[in-house]
Amino acid sequence: MSLLVISEEKRGVCMSEILLEAKGLKKYFPIKKGLLRRTTAHVKAVDDLSFHVFKGETLGIVGESGCGKSTTGKLLIRLLEATEGEVIYKGKNILHTEKEEMRELRKELQMVFQDPYSSLNPRLTVGQILEEPLANYSLYPKKEWRSKILELLHVVGLGEQAIHRFPHEFSGGQRQRIGIARALMLGPELIIADEPVSALDVSIQSQVLNLLKDLQQQFSLTFIFISHDLSVVNHFCDRILVMYLGRVVEISSKKNLFEKPLHPYSQALLSAVPSPDPKRKKERIILTGDVPSPSNPPTGCAFHPRCPSCMDVCRQIRPVLKQTAAGEAVACHLYTE
Ligand code: SF4
């Protein structure tokens, strides 16, 4: 069956149907010391994360470097095993599925990585790279592989001649197109794109983002889009989850987050994004201090040492993520009654 025919069948975006849900997701990396390599502490890379992704939407995950965004992406498709929590995909906790079942699920859950060059085997031609998933899953008769590969190369905007060339013969943007074609090869439902354009020139970034948008329409894909760049997220996402030190601090629609961010951390991040309207000047909020260590997070609200609105309660009690009247969610004492 043609990949393009599959796309027709899979069309039908549903923003009210939850495709994937994370519940209390944690990833603690042990810190080992001494001759006996005893665990003395843990780096809490992801700490009690709960959120859901609607079928057909693009959920952005943003935050400073080291906040746990990429770890979250890997936990969701078990490229890393979680310390605790659940990931419900189509009603099933995939953290407890057997190896064989997980292997099957991987067809539907794909990842596009930040650095297209290091994620492509330099010794294989593009044809061989794209053949691998088909061979691993024995999806089609071997005689059809070539036509599938050519079809997908066309879909991602690469010519037929690309099939015989090696990754180093391509530009960064073209290599990312190869990475995207590989992710599409098995007909996925959900693609986790981890900083997919941050290694590319600005002029190429928008081309790759537009390609991803077109593919989302064409194949009815759901995206989790991880980025530190809010301008890119603004271009691409429907809803945005803001992370700080391994936790969710705010989940909001793109419109609400960009027009009226609630959490002081989101406000600071957004204040650094240039306004498209030169008459609407924004006041830049400069955060003081460094991001605290995830192995020894501050008491209470982890953001309190850097927060311009910090109150006494913030140093003692950790705010929980609460739904607002507008349907957003924020973890901040400014919004608790
Ligand atoms: Fe700032 Fe307090 Fe809100 Fe944390 S809980 S973001 S310290 S106001």
Side-chain angles (χ1 to χ4, degrees), residues 43-44 64-67 244-246 265 288-299 301-306:
V43 173
K44 296 177 177 176
E64 287 162 294
S65 166
C67 72
Y244 185 76
L245 221 62
Y265 177 61
T288 52
D290 294 326
V291 182
S293 164
S295 63
N296 185 23
T299 56
C301 172
F303 186 58
H304 86 250
R306 303 172 78 196

Side-chain angles (χ1 to χ4, degrees), residues 3 106-107 109-122 124-134 136-137 149 152-153 156 158 167 174-188 191 215:
L3 286 160
R106 286 246 159 75
K107 283 194 264 186
L109 306 168
Q110 289 288 314
M111 192 143 185
V112 172
F113 295 94
Q114 175 180 8
D115 182 355
Y117 196 60
S118 64
S119 66
L120 300 174
N121 188 335
L124 300 183
T125 62
V126 169
Q128 289 166 327
I129 288 169
L130 298 182
E131 224 177 69
E132 262 185 341
L134 296 178
N136 286 344
Y137 286 92
I149 291 168
L152 260 188
L153 285 175
V156 299
L158 292 170
Q174 288 171 324
R175 284 198 289 260
Q176 196 53 292
R177 286 171 192 264
I178 299 166
I180 292 165
R182 183 178 55 185
L184 289 174
M185 214 67 222
L186 300 171
I191 292 184
L215 294 173

Side-chain angles (χ1 to χ4, degrees), residues 263-265 301-304 307-311 314 317 319 331-334:
H263 196 281
Y265 177 61
C301 172
F303 186 58
H304 86 250
C307 181
S309 312
C310 180
M311 306 171 283
C314 306
I317 300 169
C332 174
H333 289 303
L334 290 173

Side-chain angles (χ1 to χ4, degrees), residues 238-240 249-258 260-262 321-331:
D238 301 304
R239 289 189 309 135
I240 298 168
V249 295
E250 183 165 357
I251 307 177
S252 185
S253 67
K254 175 177 73 177
K255 182 174 179 291
N256 286 357
L257 188 79
F258 274 79
K260 203 173 181 310
L262 297 176
L321 194 68
K322 279 203 175 148
Q323 202 90 11
T324 65
E328 322 295 5
V330 63

